[in-house]
Amino acid sequence: MNLGIESEKIEFKKNTNELVNGVISLSAMLNKHNEGTVYFGVENNGDVIGQKDLNENTLRDVSKRISEGIKPKVFPIVSLMLIGDRKIIKVYVNGNNVPYSAFGKYY
């Protein structure tokens, strides 16, 4: 399964080990478009590879890291998706309080 291509509002990350980069990407998308989506468990070319051991704690941890990392505060919508037999995480944020920083830096 393939989710298509990345854009200025959509970015793919292989797994949650890339969470810091995902937060940075979300802040940049917020600054330019007031919204953005990052998928974890997806290759850069859009191929769904999934991520093992995803559960509600993982979703809470992702949400918390994004809420703590982006200022002014945002409230991400974090959801677990099943594509075929593979689990991925979808994170969507929106906001109009530009500029947004990620971990104290502006992107």
Side-chain angles (χ1 to χ4, degrees):
M1 176 68 148
N2 188 286
L3 294 184
I5 59 172
E6 293 181 313
S7 69
E8 289 188 349
K9 291 184 178 182
I10 297 173
E11 188 154 326
F12 304 135
K13 300 293 181 194
K14 291 181 184 176
N15 56 51
T16 52
N17 291 336
E18 297 183 88
L19 183 55
V20 170
N21 289 330
V23 173
I24 290 168
S25 296
L26 287 168
S27 86
M29 289 184 240
L30 283 165
N31 285 331
K32 187 166 184 181
H33 299 289
N34 298 326
E35 67 177 343
T37 305
V38 173
Y39 293 90
F40 294 94
V42 181
E43 293 274 3
N44 286 341
N45 66 2
D47 287 343
V48 174
I49 55 175
Q51 188 171 337
K52 301 210 183 291
D53 301 324
L54 294 180
N55 57 47
E56 297 223 3
N57 288 334
T58 308
L59 299 181
R60 265 192 294 274
D61 292 344
V62 167
S63 180
K64 182 178 177 185
R65 185 79 167 145
I66 292 166
S67 290
E68 291 174 351
I70 296 178
K71 301 296 180 213
K73 191 171 186 77
V74 295
F75 299 95
I77 298 170
V78 181
S79 53
L80 181 64
M81 297 176 64
L82 187 61
I83 310 247
D85 62 347
R86 298 176 184 185
K87 294 179 183 178
I88 66 170
I89 296 174
K90 177 184 178 182
V91 178
Y92 173 78
V93 295
N94 67 352
N96 296 312
N97 295 321
V98 175
Y100 289 92
S101 67
F103 310 111
K105 294 185 178 181
Y106 294 88
Y107 296 90

